[in-house]
Amino acid sequence: MPKLAGIVRRLALVLTAAIAAPQGLASALAQAGEGSWSDHAGTASKSGLAEAAEPGSGFGGPVKSDRRAPQPVLRVCADPNNLPFSNDREQGFENALANIVARDLGARIEYTWWAERRGFLRNTLNAGVCDVVMGIPPLDVLTPTQAYYNSTYVIVSRTEDAVGVATLTDPALRDLSIGVHLIGDDGANTPAAHVLGDLGIVDNVVGYTIYGDYREDAPPSRIVRDVAAGTIDIAIVWGPLGGYYARMSDVPLTVTPLEKTESLLPLVFQFPIGMGVRTDDHALKDRLNRIIERERGTIDALLERYGIPRV
């Protein structure tokens, strides 16, 4: 986000705030597990980068090698259908970020594609088939790098409506149709859904599953498209999702970061987002941290180009 979703029980009421942040990660993170290493597409190294496989022997005998060092491989875990974050056409900002990292490392990229749903980390990063998730909030089941951006939940509205709402306690919310993302039927919902429920703002709230119909492009984006179409008045969504699709919309949309959320603790609405590696891969984490520092200006320009709200 979203990620969306994104978005892990650090505090009981913070569960869905944390797991809904990167759009679509939701239950996948809560169910991730530690996993284990396994070899995949070459030899895994202590740095977290795989080495390209050395030419082997065929039926005609050994293949001659020019003895040059093999190019390292940056193995990225990503969702193939989750714009603005990533897709298998490499159109997301996390795809672009992976290119920045690979260029700095002198590596080529190899993707492991897996929908960011239940079991995402268990079947990708923690299974050892890939080495880095490009966007993740701090979680106990992996080791995060330093944040390369901080974002927040936002309110998306049609510009022509001049809604002017910036807090979840604004009385005007009772007279608006409000779209929110829902994650599951076990109380696991985005923080805005919890707050609105506690305030008794229910009848005018429209729930959208954060997973959506995966046969569609970027299914979590439907909530923003419905704002543009006038189906709902506003959407309360994770900032990257709202900012990107508002920028892409033919109908002018206004993106307003939520304000005065401190009074809503322990629910959290702002998150630092970094890259994530396995808990024992300190070498790769350190290399990625250095890249984030070196490429700070390039990364900031990338996020601006995708309309990612930052706080």
Side-chain angles (χ1 to χ4, degrees):
M1 270 270 127
K3 93 157 36 159
L4 330 168
I7 286 156
V8 178
R9 297 185 181 271
R10 289 179 293 175
L11 292 170
L13 291 177
V14 186
L15 165 66
T16 54
I19 60 178
Q23 188 62 37
L25 222 43
S27 302
L29 301 184
Q31 301 293 327
E34 287 291 345
S36 60
W37 279 87
S38 66
D39 291 335
H40 177 71
T43 303
S45 70
K46 290 183 180 179
S47 69
L49 294 177
E51 295 179 356
E54 198 59 45
S57 299
F59 288 111
V63 176
K64 292 182 179 180
S65 169
D66 61 8
R67 298 301 180 185
R68 289 179 298 179
Q71 184 182 22
V73 179
L74 179 68
R75 304 189 305 171
V76 178
C77 325
D79 191 315
N81 184 23
N82 193 27
L83 287 181
F85 307 96
S86 64
N87 70 7
D88 56 10
R89 288 169 284 179
E90 300 185 30
Q91 297 171 318
F93 74 85
E94 290 180 2
N95 298 119
L97 178 61
N99 290 335
I100 293 170
V101 171
R103 182 186 65 214
D104 195 288
L105 292 170
R108 64 178 176 84
I109 297 173
E110 178 183 282
Y111 279 103
T112 293
W113 300 112
W114 198 282
E116 288 188 1
R117 303 188 176 197
R118 192 177 300 273
F120 172 71
L121 290 179
R122 183 181 67 246
N123 289 290
T124 57
L125 185 74
N126 287 331
V129 297
C130 46
D131 301 313
V132 58
V133 180
M134 299 310 298
I136 205 83
L139 297 170
D140 292 338
V141 294
L142 49 73
T143 296
T145 65
Q146 63 175 294
Y148 60 89
Y149 74 98
N150 294 271
S151 195
T152 183
Y153 277 80
V154 298
I155 295 174
V156 181
S157 60
R158 290 181 297 278
T159 302
E160 66 179 5
D161 292 345
V163 169
V165 172
T167 71
L168 291 177
T169 54
D170 192 317
L173 289 175
R174 298 184 181 276
D175 299 318
L176 299 170
S177 56
I178 306 167
V180 296
H181 271 133
L182 306 178
I183 297 173
D185 57 5
D186 55 356
N189 284 319
T190 51
H194 283 294
V195 173
L196 294 173
D198 290 344
L199 293 174
I201 302 175
V202 176
D203 293 339
N204 55 323
V205 172
V206 180
Y208 291 77
T209 173
I210 204 166
Y211 296 131
D213 185 343
Y214 206 70
R215 294 169 298 183
E216 301 175 356
D217 284 340
S221 67
R222 179 180 156 223
I223 190 171
V224 180
R225 297 198 305 267
D226 278 2
V227 173
T231 306
I232 53 177
D233 294 320
I234 66 171
I236 305 174
V237 295
W238 176 233
L241 181 78
Y244 175 76
Y245 281 102
R247 179 165 292 192
M248 298 291 289
S249 174
D250 292 332
V251 176
L253 299 177
T254 296
V255 178
T256 305
L258 279 175
E259 300 176 359
K260 300 179 180 179
T261 58
E262 297 84 359
S263 63
L264 303 174
L265 288 171
L267 290 172
V268 179
F269 291 81
Q270 297 182 6
F271 294 91
I273 302 297
M275 305 173 208
V277 302
R278 278 179 293 278
T279 54
D280 59 354
D281 202 346
H282 305 294
L284 181 56
K285 182 196 75 170
D286 291 343
R287 297 179 75 176
L288 294 173
N289 277 335
R290 290 193 292 270
I291 292 171
I292 291 171
E293 288 298 326
R294 283 196 297 267
E295 302 286 354
R296 180 71 64 180
T298 303
I299 294 171
D300 286 345
L302 170 65
L303 297 171
E304 180 65 28
R305 189 164 71 248
Y306 276 79
I308 308 303
R310 284 160 287 162
V311 294

